Amino acid sequence: MRVNGIAYRTIWRPRDGCVAFIDQHLLPHRFRIEEVHTVEALAEAIRTMRIRGAIALGAAAAYGMELAAAHASDSELRTALAHAAELLIQTRPTAVNIAWAVRTILTAVAGAETAQELRDRLRSAVDALIEAEVERCRRIGEHGAAVLERLFQQQGQAPLQILTHCNAGWLGCVDYGTALSPIYLAAERGLPLHVWVSETRPRNQGAALTAWELQQSGIPYTVIVDSACGSLLQQGKVDIALVGADRITRRGDTANKIGTYPKAVLCRFHGVPFYVAAPSSSFDPECADAADIPIEERSPDEVHTVSGLCGDRYTTVRITPEGAHAWNPSFDITPAEFITGFITEYGVFPATEEGVGELLAAADACC
Ligand code: MRU
């Protein structure tokens, strides 16, 4: 994706022993690239959400394993990787892409007979994992753009009105995005569209990141507060909702940013299709249903405060009374029944146990 005309990925390896990423904490006000050299520093960037979004988190975890290996002596390699795996998996529990990436890397190096072979295999596995995720997101764009184009033809009213939540764009991935990937492609092909961006309290990924991404791409959008979504749908201003996912169970229950579930319920009530766009790496065959998904609870401080630009200073201010209690679940779960379909790299699947089974079989057959 391009920022001021320059092509970027969200996270990359500028040289051995170093990982660079776009600091998502300061956007849209400051575009800053940060470099880290240890897995501990990378884990900290994940915890504080300077790197965020399920697919970007998976990529970061893969790079984290590489950083751990870079600092380990040959005799300590396997212990260092085991520690790094544990550290990374604990950073953010809901996004299954972290555990998936760590497992993929550990499997790739399992049979290595020498330290050098292990290092070589590790590097190739990290590159392969990241390139495959980029390609999955690109293909989600193709399948999702077809959904948007079909809907547009059916109703023939311009522009197509799309509602999204949080940031499931390229910042939350390595490139392209999940929910935003179809939007970028459809817009590129000339489909007239407009995106309603819900702010996504408490971290405001919609208002800050999705708005910024869409602006960079010249796509028309309007930011709304989360609580305006009901009125928006009631007034018939949405044709389709498109969101991302952090973990999808075998029966299709989907964890995504807090505030997704009420949108899905409202969409069902108002007869608006509600799609989840996610690569196969976000489906967790080990989770049978919603009860198996760990939901991250973040610091109440995120509810007590808002951060943003004050003059030319980035600052945080308190909005609740001192001593107020706050609860801050970071994700909610949308039951499969409210989801029209999953837009994946293998096409669109129904949000049912059979649909998820078919997708996982397609992913298994390919790798
Ligand atoms: O807490 P975040 O910002 O990491 O949550 C991100 C989301 O909920 C996204 O919808 C999800 O990861 C989509 S994949 C880009």
Side-chain angles (χ1 to χ4, degrees):
M1 276 297 186
R2 292 188 170 270
V3 180
N4 301 325
I6 301 169
Y8 282 95
R9 283 184 167 182
T10 302
I11 184 162
W12 66 96
R13 177 202 302 114
R15 57 192 173 278
D16 286 350
C18 177
V19 174
F21 58 88
I22 296 172
D23 178 354
Q24 302 196 36
H25 188 58
L26 295 176
L27 284 172
H29 309 298
R30 307 243 191 284
F31 182 77
R32 191 176 82 101
I33 292 171
E34 185 176 340
E35 291 190 353
V36 288
H37 303 90
T38 64
V39 65
E40 288 77 15
L42 189 73
E44 178 59 11
I46 292 175
R47 257 185 250 111
T48 53
M49 295 174 65
R50 298 189 328 269
I51 306 168
R52 51 142 299 281
I55 317 306
L57 292 175
Y63 281 131
M65 297 293 278
E66 195 176 299
L67 286 181
H71 289 282
S73 66
D74 286 356
S75 61
E76 293 164 349
L77 254 182
R78 288 204 184 270
T79 319
L81 287 181
H83 282 147
E86 206 175 314
L87 174 71
L88 290 161
I89 287 172
Q90 281 168 3
T91 51
R92 298 201 63 195
T94 305
V96 71
N97 293 68
I98 296 180
W100 166 82
V102 163
R103 238 187 353 255
T104 305
I105 300 303
L106 288 177
T107 307
V109 301
E113 287 181 1
T114 63
Q116 190 53 52
E117 187 188 348
L118 190 152
R119 290 182 196 280
D120 293 344
R121 282 197 191 194
L122 178 55
R123 190 187 170 93
S124 318
V126 170
D127 287 341
L129 180 146
I130 286 163
E131 291 314 314
E133 283 292 78
V134 170
E135 176 59 12
R136 289 183 189 111
C137 288
R138 192 192 65 74
R139 281 160 60 184
I140 286 173
E142 287 187 347
H143 295 297
V147 171
L148 298 180
E149 283 159 355
R150 237 182 349 259
L151 191 63
F152 179 70
Q153 277 157 14
Q154 277 163 17
Q155 49 183 49
Q157 244 184 35
L160 189 71
Q161 300 284 349
I162 304 165
L163 170 65
T164 193
H165 186 57
C166 194
N167 172 262
W170 67 273
L171 286 168
C173 301
V174 179
D175 208 347
Y176 296 104
T178 52
L180 295 194
S181 183
I183 294 174
Y184 290 133
L185 185 61
E188 210 176 287
R189 291 179 180 163
L191 191 84
L193 48 81
H194 167 266
V195 186
W196 295 99
V197 178
S198 66
E199 62 175 345
T200 320
R201 271 286 288 156
R203 295 290 296 238
N204 295 319
Q205 293 96 323
L209 305 177
T210 299
W212 180 78
E213 269 196 35
L214 293 172
Q215 203 163 49
Q216 291 294 321
S217 299
I219 293 180
Y221 70 91
T222 304
V223 177
I224 50 170
V225 296
D226 296 323
S227 41
C229 288
S231 296
L232 189 76
L233 282 148
Q234 196 174 42
Q235 290 175 28
K237 291 184 169 165
V238 179
D239 297 315
I240 182 172
L242 263 185
V243 299
D246 276 66
R247 192 186 294 240
I248 301 169
T249 69
R250 288 205 303 272
R251 78 177 292 281
D253 301 329
T254 296
N256 191 49
K257 181 50 55 191
I258 192 80
T260 302
Y261 167 54
K263 285 181 182 60
V265 175
L266 281 162
C267 281
R268 171 58 51 90
F269 186 76
H270 293 286
V272 170
F274 182 92
Y275 282 93
V276 172
S280 52
S281 52
S282 298
F283 288 72
D284 185 355
E286 282 170 23
C287 282
D289 56 32
D292 292 335
I293 302 182
I295 296 294
E296 175 184 7
E297 287 197 17
R298 295 187 60 83
S299 164
D301 288 347
E302 293 184 347
V303 178
H304 291 310
T305 59
V306 268
S307 300
L309 205 63
C310 177
D312 59 0
R313 207 162 47 90
Y314 185 82
T315 190
T316 298
V317 294
R318 179 147 187 139
I319 53 173
T320 57
E322 283 300 332
H325 293 287
W327 178 50
N328 189 16
S330 198
F331 298 91
D332 60 23
I333 297 178
T334 301
E337 291 73 11
F338 292 95
I339 298 168
T340 309
F342 293 121
I343 303 172
T344 76
E345 73 269 29
Y346 296 106
V348 182
F349 293 84
T352 59
E353 187 125 27
E354 294 70 36
V356 173
E358 262 180 62
L359 162 72
L360 292 173
D364 274 353
C366 143
C367 309

